[in-house]
Amino acid sequence: MSIKTNITLFFIIVFLNATFAEKHALIIAIGNYPVSGGWTSISSHNDVPHVKAALANLGFLPANIQTLTDEKANKKGIIAAIQALTKKLKKGDIVYIHYSGHGQQVVDDNGDEIDQLDESIVPYDSPMKFQPGVYEGENLIRDDLLGELTDKMRIICGKDGQIVLILDSCHSGTGVRGMGKVRGTDRIMGPDNFIPTIVSTERSMNIGKEENSSFAPLACFFGASAKELNYETLDDQSKPVGSLTLAITTVLGKMHQTYTFEELFERIKFKMKTSAPRQNPQWEGPRDIKILGGTLQNTEFSFTVSNIKDPSTITADIGTFFNVYTGSTVELISKNKNKVICRGEVTKAYLTESVITLESPIEEAEDDLYQIKVIQKAQPSIQISLKIDLGPESHWSKLAGKLSESPMLNIVSENADIFLTEENSVYSLQLLTKEGSELYSAAYDGTELDKIYQECEQNIRVFLQGKFLKSYDNEISKFDFSLALVSVDCQSQQPNIINPTDEINVKVGSCVKFKITNNGITGGYFSLLDIQPDNIINLIIPAVKIGYTAEEYYLKPGDAFTTDYIVEIGEPLGEETLKLIVSKTPQDLSGIIMTQGKSKRGIGTLDPFEQLLNASYNPVSMRGAKVRQSEGDEIGTSTLFFKIVK
């Protein structure tokens, strides 16, 4: 064989390897641990459909996604599954490993930890309690072992490949009442008299310490730091799921452009601010590399009809995971002729499936003849979950019964956003957030239940509105505006921009200005909302109280704006949220806020965010209003969190 032939063959092989690079995934979900092991059951199984849907959006084939659950996910099974996956890999491949289960700290066995503790994930066959000579943590999978296993993958996949590791677990803590299930324990796998000599400053599991330019990049995401609790939350089907799982799959499933790992993490933090506000998710890895190879499925594709129930009712493989909610408008299209048959409306939306009522009946009853195209997406109902924690003979049972009938409340038995309880005595009512903050309290005197009910409902409404607005984000926005807090001397007004990547603490009595920058290629009008720790909403821009109008706040691409007035920071203490809203037309937010959602303008004259803000004052009315989701060129958002401290 000639040298020329060898060279040609070499380049053909290189090309083929690059062309046929594949994406592989392993999902490990352990929820029903053996009772004998001492672990509580958790909701890891509910994480699986979220992960699978997100991976499908990123181009993972079902044949390349392996799922390991419960008894199959013992130590031997997990290691065997990782090793079997490793044998399938080749240069350029991408690997995603997702673990949902308990976590635990274990006494370090090789001296590489400053705090003398390894972090570990808990397989099905690892009991919680250390028993000298009987069980000393042999079945735990330590961070050291995870590092070794992933390093083998990194070597095979090479610099053009990628490894992503998600650990939705934690290694500390016993849950606080009302806050939901915790994935982890504060019981160290070690002797009862073991006390670490040094308090760790470690932020996470410290996996993949070895760096080599020929290795595939490794990115690891953790639900909480090594010293924090990791709570479950509820998805939009009211099912308990991991807080990190919900955050990362929501971002991956709905992103319209590929993110770097750093951008992905920033969006995860934003999602978890409302679902798990006391957790600080962590990550390790390269900052500027695109997540999972930077490839997305076409988000405009038609969906498949999965079943024809009758000539006017069908089901399709769309759902809330794809941002399609009840009230959305779709078209039924013939596959062969690419012809619109009729329109329909989503009347029930599940995670990855919807029931659709058609405007006119169809003649041919074979589901493989049709596809569904989403024409207009409706906003989901604004709702919050409540756990009622009262005794069977409670004086407050009538009030609880009335609250249970409220359309803005979803009554659940665990992982609630807020809960109603008799904390100190049967005569003392408390309405608490899942973090333990008091929203409302009242004393029972037998005469004013109606008044207490109205006050209780009003406090719930305010909390719900604040939670909704804090989490609002248009995923498909074409605007690219940023928001910065500028600290100024209250007398001289000398400015000092606060770095938004740091945790921002602002003292009561200090003064600030607000800077908005258009970093994109599209100009837009902008408004700025301030949501206090007690969920009271203030409008900062436009400053209508001093004579400004919405039409005056417009930024061309590349331009920046800083308020020419200062704002003095006052109480209440806690986390404040700044929400920048960018729009292609000026917005009348002041009228909506001043009238508490009773704006004289008709719903049809308001843009999508104005409709949402209007509806947020009366969430029940949103059910009939059919507020539509905004298009990419209509609304953009940017959010900045900071803490008000003494």
Side-chain angles (χ1 to χ4, degrees):
M1 187 180 290
S2 67
I3 294 176
K4 183 177 180 180
T5 303
N6 275 329
I7 293 173
T8 303
L9 183 60
F10 169 77
F11 280 109
I12 289 174
I13 292 172
V14 170
F15 172 77
L16 287 176
N17 280 338
T19 303
F20 293 102
E22 293 182 296
K23 295 178 178 180
H24 299 270
L26 173 62
I27 305 170
I28 304 164
I30 313 172
N32 300 316
Y33 284 85
V35 175
S36 60
W39 294 104
T40 57
S41 293
I42 51 178
S43 310
S44 300
H45 296 165
N46 294 339
D47 294 6
V48 176
H50 286 269
V51 178
K52 286 186 174 180
L55 293 175
N57 185 56
L58 292 161
F60 284 73
L61 300 175
N64 286 346
I65 302 174
Q66 181 185 357
T67 303
L68 211 61
T69 59
D70 288 349
E71 63 272 7
K72 293 181 180 179
N74 55 29
K75 182 177 183 179
K76 183 179 178 181
I78 292 173
I79 293 174
I82 294 175
Q83 290 174 336
L85 175 56
T86 303
K87 290 179 181 178
K88 296 179 182 178
L89 301 177
K90 59 184 179 303
K91 293 290 184 185
D93 280 358
I94 290 171
V95 180
Y96 179 99
I97 300 175
H98 193 110
Y99 172 77
S100 293
H102 281 299
Q104 188 174 27
Q105 291 184 309
V106 55
V107 176
D108 179 25
D109 60 353
N110 62 3
D112 68 339
E113 301 286 353
I114 296 175
D115 63 353
Q116 301 173 298
L117 293 171
D118 281 326
E119 274 68 49
S120 68
I121 62 174
V122 181
Y124 181 83
D125 57 344
S126 181
M128 181 192 294
K129 189 175 180 180
F130 180 91
Q131 299 182 61
V134 178
Y135 182 71
E136 300 184 1
E138 295 85 1
N139 290 343
L140 291 171
I141 296 180
R142 299 171 183 255
D143 48 11
D144 300 322
L145 179 55
L146 278 176
E148 292 173 12
L149 292 169
T150 53
D151 276 351
K152 290 177 181 178
M153 291 181 168
R154 297 174 69 192
I155 293 168
I156 295 172
C157 295
K159 60 183 178 63
D160 294 323
Q162 197 174 107
I163 314 295
V164 178
L165 180 62
I166 312 297
L167 298 179
D168 200 347
S169 60
C170 73
H171 307 92
S172 63
T174 301
V176 177
R177 181 184 180 189
M179 288 189 65
K181 293 179 179 177
V182 177
R183 297 186 173 184
T185 179
D186 54 4
R187 181 187 288 273
I188 293 172
M189 180 58 67
D192 291 341
N193 61 356
F194 173 80
I195 301 175
T197 56
I198 299 175
V199 177
S200 174
T201 57
E202 195 177 330
R203 292 172 62 85
S204 58
M205 280 187 72
N206 206 25
I207 298 168
K209 290 170 280 190
E210 184 175 352
E211 292 302 324
N212 188 309
S213 60
S214 65
F215 283 15
L218 169 67
C220 305
F221 294 85
F222 312 93
S225 73
K227 303 301 181 185
E228 285 183 333
L229 301 166
N230 181 13
Y231 289 103
E232 293 186 351
T233 187
L234 295 176
D235 67 8
D236 54 22
Q237 302 296 314
S238 297
K239 291 184 177 180
V241 293
S243 51
L244 174 63
T245 297
L246 185 62
I248 195 168
T249 57
T250 299
V251 175
L252 294 179
K254 296 179 181 178
M255 66 181 183
H256 69 287
Q257 63 185 36
T258 53
Y259 298 131
T260 64
F261 282 115
E262 184 173 28
E263 290 169 336
L264 174 64
F265 181 63
E266 288 302 314
R267 299 202 69 79
I268 289 171
K269 285 199 300 183
F270 170 71
K271 295 294 182 185
M272 291 182 69
K273 275 288 185 180
T274 52
S275 64
R278 287 195 175 184
Q279 287 174 224
N280 289 290
Q282 309 291 318
W283 81 294
E284 300 167 352
R287 294 184 175 275
D288 299 325
I289 294 177
K290 295 287 187 180
I291 174 75
L292 295 172
T295 56
L296 281 173
Q297 295 285 73
N298 179 8
T299 56
E300 299 300 321
F301 64 92
S302 297
F303 295 89
T304 304
V305 173
S306 54
N307 184 32
I308 298 177
K309 293 188 171 185
D310 59 59
S312 297
T313 310
I314 62 175
T315 59
D317 60 353
I318 55 177
T320 58
F321 185 85
F322 304 101
N323 233 18
V324 177
Y325 297 91
T326 300
S328 297
T329 304
V330 303
E331 284 181 342
L332 183 68
I333 301 171
S334 64
K335 280 188 179 179
N336 296 336
K337 298 179 181 179
N338 200 26
K339 175 185 175 183
V340 176
I341 306 299
C342 65
R343 286 199 169 192
E345 181 178 311
V346 174
T347 50
K348 183 63 178 177
Y350 302 99
L351 184 66
T352 56
E353 186 179 63
S354 291
V355 178
I356 298 168
T357 300
L358 302 175
E359 291 181 351
S360 56
I362 53 177
E363 296 178 359
E364 297 181 88
E366 295 183 30
D367 50 33
D368 60 349
L369 297 177
Y370 304 105
Q371 287 184 324
I372 292 293
K373 184 176 182 180
V374 181
I375 301 302
Q376 183 172 291
K377 294 180 179 179
Q379 280 285 349
S381 298
I382 303 176
Q383 200 174 47
I384 201 166
S385 58
L386 170 70
K387 178 182 178 181
I388 298 173
D389 189 12
L390 302 174
E393 304 297 327
S394 173
H395 295 287
W396 305 102
S397 57
K398 184 178 178 181
L399 180 143
K402 290 185 68 175
L403 286 175
S404 299
E405 297 172 358
S406 172
M408 69 178 176
L409 290 173
N410 177 30
I411 308 303
V412 298
S413 59
E414 59 185 9
N415 299 308
D417 295 303
I418 54 178
F419 64 102
L420 193 71
T421 185
E422 299 162 313
E423 188 64 26
N424 300 316
S425 75
V426 294
Y427 296 99
S428 178
L429 181 79
Q430 280 190 310
L431 185 67
L432 305 174
T433 70
K434 65 181 180 181
E435 295 83 33
S437 300
E438 185 178 276
L439 292 178
Y440 176 73
S441 63
Y444 179 79
D445 63 7
T447 60
E448 296 186 341
L449 274 181
D450 286 342
K451 178 175 180 287
I452 292 173
Y453 168 76
Q454 291 171 4
E455 292 173 349
C456 194
E457 188 186 49
Q458 176 59 26
N459 279 276
I460 291 173
R461 197 181 298 271
V462 170
F463 178 79
L464 172 56
Q465 182 188 40
K467 183 176 185 293
F468 168 72
L469 291 176
K470 289 174 186 177
S471 63
Y472 176 75
D473 183 31
N474 184 16
E475 307 280 353
I476 61 171
S477 172
K478 295 179 181 177
F479 296 105
D480 184 12
F481 278 51
S482 60
L483 170 64
L485 201 60
V486 182
S487 174
V488 298
D489 182 272
C490 294
Q491 301 301 321
S492 68
Q493 298 193 23
Q494 194 68 27
N496 176 34
I497 295 180
I498 301 172
N499 187 347
T501 61
D502 299 331
E503 182 174 305
I504 304 172
N505 292 323
V506 181
K507 292 183 178 181
V508 172
S510 59
C511 296
V512 297
K513 290 184 176 182
F514 308 95
K515 182 178 181 180
I516 293 93
T517 306
N518 186 349
N519 307 301
I521 59 174
T522 303
Y525 295 90
F526 59 95
S527 303
L528 184 61
L529 293 174
D530 169 60
I531 308 168
Q532 296 179 180
D534 57 4
N535 294 302
I536 300 299
I537 298 170
N538 305 300
L539 182 65
I540 297 175
I541 296 175
V544 292
K545 291 183 179 179
I546 54 177
Y548 289 91
T549 64
E551 288 77 12
E552 296 176 72
Y553 293 92
Y554 181 87
L555 279 180
K556 296 178 181 178
D559 285 356
F561 167 87
T562 302
T563 53
D564 56 3
Y565 53 88
I566 62 173
V567 173
E568 183 175 341
I569 300 298
E571 294 187 355
L573 305 179
E575 187 166 78
E576 197 102 354
T577 304
L578 294 174
K579 180 73 67 172
L580 180 70
I581 308 296
V582 186
S583 56
K584 67 178 181 180
T585 57
Q587 294 188 323
D588 180 27
L589 303 188
S590 61
I592 296 171
I593 292 172
M594 285 189 294
T595 62
Q596 298 283 290
K598 297 180 177 65
S599 174
K600 293 181 180 180
R601 292 172 60 193
I603 191 76
T605 66
L606 304 177
D607 75 18
F609 183 78
E610 289 175 315
Q611 290 184 32
L612 266 180
L613 181 61
N614 200 64
S616 71
Y617 283 98
N618 185 17
V620 178
S621 70
M622 190 172 175
R623 291 175 175 268
K626 277 193 185 179
V627 178
R628 69 176 178 85
Q629 294 182 32
S630 59
E631 301 295 335
D633 61 349
E634 289 181 305
I635 302 294
T637 59
S638 181
T639 308
L640 183 66
F641 301 98
F642 65 95
K643 287 184 178 179
I644 298 178
V645 297
K646 287 186 177 180

